[in-house]
């Protein structure tokens, strides 16, 4: 756990960008590790979809904690965790910190939406900057391992000026990084110029451009779970339509490699 948290610290401190694909569970995390990525992100969107829930703040803090624990026990990569809104007010943020840090998170990001979070289609109404600052200060105060990274995320879309002001204000609390979700490279540069060169993490359409602006970890919250749903749908449709399993697999490149990995999954940790 200590080593994983130090890795995130190193990623944030150094130039260059590191990819941390998102997952919903330990199986997805194991695939990410198997493919040689450097970090993993537990996505709130993916976790909600894995429970057949809309991404609207319906999953509980203990459901998140359980997923963190199972992922940390399954893989050795650092885990960045979606802390949503902290699941409530300042007291909720404190409990969230205790649970997530105890479960083994290497980094946690909190966002400034209302609790419960709204559907994306309904927009992203935000709490006041002052209320968010109180949450971030509570998270920093509750942190027991100083190597655990705390990241502030803003969903303010009222104007670019308001967003910049919020992010700079959040940086002043002493958080370790800021979250960028579809923000321009120019906006990242403006914020960093006013906020001690603080690094960013988040969604990067072009990792090279984002890296040059100051993003250090690129995260893709929906990619993995959409791919998983597409893969199951594709294969099971063929099965439904009368194809035998071996006929389906014989036409897919890399099937045997996946089967070998699947048979070996977990064996090293639970060998006789």
């Amino acid at each position: 756990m200590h080593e994983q948290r130090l890795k995130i610290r190193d990623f944030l401190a150094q130039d260059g960008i590191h990819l941390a694909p998102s997952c919903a569970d330990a199986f997805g995390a194991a695939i990410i590790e198997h493919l040689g990525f450097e970090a993993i992100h537990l996505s709130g969107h993916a976790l909600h979809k894995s429970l057949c829930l809309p991404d609207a703040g319906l999953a509980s803090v203990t459901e998140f904690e359980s997923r963190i624990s199972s992922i940390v026990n399954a893989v050795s990569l650092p885990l960045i965790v979606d802390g949503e809104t902290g699941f409530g007010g300042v007291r909720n943020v404190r409990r969230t910190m205790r649970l997530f840090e105890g479960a083994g998170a290497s980094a946690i990001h909190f966002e400034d939406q209302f609790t419960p979070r709204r559907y994306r289609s309904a927009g992203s109404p935000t709490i006041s900057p002052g209320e968010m600052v109180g949450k971030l200060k509570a998270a920093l105060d509750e942190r027991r391992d100083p190597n655990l990274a705390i990241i502030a995320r803003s969903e303010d879309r009222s104007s670019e000026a308001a967003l910049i002001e919020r992010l700079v204000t959040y940086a002043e609390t002493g958080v370790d990084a800021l979250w960028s979700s579809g923000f321009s490279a120019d906006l990242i540069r403006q914020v960093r110029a006013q906020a001690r060169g603080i690094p960013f993490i988040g969604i990067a359409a072009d990792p090279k451009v984002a890296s040059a602006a100051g993003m250090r970890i690129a995260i893709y919250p929906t990619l993995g779970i959409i791919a998983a749903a597409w893969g199951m749908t594709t294969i099971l449709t063929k099965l439904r339509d009368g194809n035998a399993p071996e006929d389906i697999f014989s036409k897919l490149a890399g099937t045997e490699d996946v089967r070998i990995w699947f048979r070996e999954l977990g064996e090293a940790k639970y060998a006789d």
Side-chain angles (χ1 to χ4, degrees):
M1 196 180 304
H2 178 72
E3 178 183 345
Q4 286 86 346
R5 289 172 180 168
L6 287 178
K7 282 186 179 180
I8 295 297
R9 288 282 175 182
D10 288 343
F11 295 165
L12 294 176
Q14 299 168 2
D15 289 342
I17 196 163
H18 304 268
L19 303 186
S22 301
C23 67
D25 52 29
F27 183 67
I31 292 173
I32 293 168
E33 183 176 54
H34 175 68
L35 292 174
F37 287 96
E38 298 176 281
I40 297 168
H41 176 246
L42 174 59
S43 160
H45 174 95
L47 189 151
H48 276 84
K49 293 306 178 187
S50 74
L51 295 170
C52 297
L53 296 173
D55 183 17
L58 296 176
S60 70
V61 66
T62 51
E63 285 172 315
F64 273 76
E65 178 197 21
S66 176
R67 295 293 176 94
I68 296 167
S69 180
S70 64
I71 291 170
V72 169
N73 285 323
V75 301
S76 60
L77 294 181
L79 177 64
I80 302 163
V81 177
D82 187 346
E84 303 259 294
T85 64
F87 300 89
V90 167
R91 290 181 178 177
N92 302 85
V93 169
R94 289 185 178 277
R95 182 168 188 245
T96 299
M97 280 295 300
R98 293 176 193 174
L99 294 177
F100 287 12
E101 182 171 5
S106 295
I108 308 169
H109 59 84
F110 295 103
E111 63 190 79
D112 57 6
Q113 286 198 65
F114 278 100
T115 303
R117 290 175 57 254
R118 307 310 198 251
Y119 289 96
R120 294 296 181 191
S121 59
S124 302
T126 52
I127 60 178
S128 71
E131 186 176 349
M132 184 60 179
V133 165
K135 287 187 173 187
L136 295 173
K137 287 182 176 179
L140 291 162
D141 180 63
E142 199 62 43
R143 177 173 62 185
R144 293 297 171 260
D145 182 352
N147 291 312
L148 172 66
I150 297 176
I151 299 142
R153 172 178 176 176
S154 180
E155 290 299 312
D156 190 323
R157 296 294 185 272
S158 60
S159 72
E160 185 171 286
L163 177 58
I164 291 172
E165 184 176 358
R166 276 183 181 258
L167 289 170
V168 171
T169 298
Y170 298 165
E172 290 171 350
T173 66
V175 294
D176 303 294
L178 300 174
W179 171 285
S180 169
S181 178
F183 306 155
S184 68
D186 181 61
L187 184 143
I188 294 174
R189 291 190 189 97
Q190 290 185 62
V191 172
R192 295 186 76 223
Q194 300 178 54
R196 58 184 167 83
I198 191 169
F200 273 70
I201 76 168
I203 302 167
D206 186 329
K208 290 184 179 179
V209 172
S211 175
M215 185 177 287
R216 298 294 170 248
I217 302 174
I219 289 171
Y220 302 93
T222 63
L223 195 61
I225 198 157
I226 289 173
W230 177 85
M232 286 188 67
T233 300
T234 300
I235 298 303
L236 293 179
T237 297
K238 294 180 182 297
L239 184 67
R240 182 201 63 192
D241 292 345
N243 294 277
E246 287 308 315
D247 290 338
I248 298 170
F249 289 137
S250 67
K251 297 174 184 177
L252 295 174
T255 296
E256 192 54 35
D257 291 338
V258 171
R259 282 176 156 170
I260 291 170
W261 173 76
F262 196 82
R263 285 194 294 267
E264 294 174 348
L265 185 62
E267 286 296 324
K269 289 187 176 182
Y270 295 96
D272 293 335

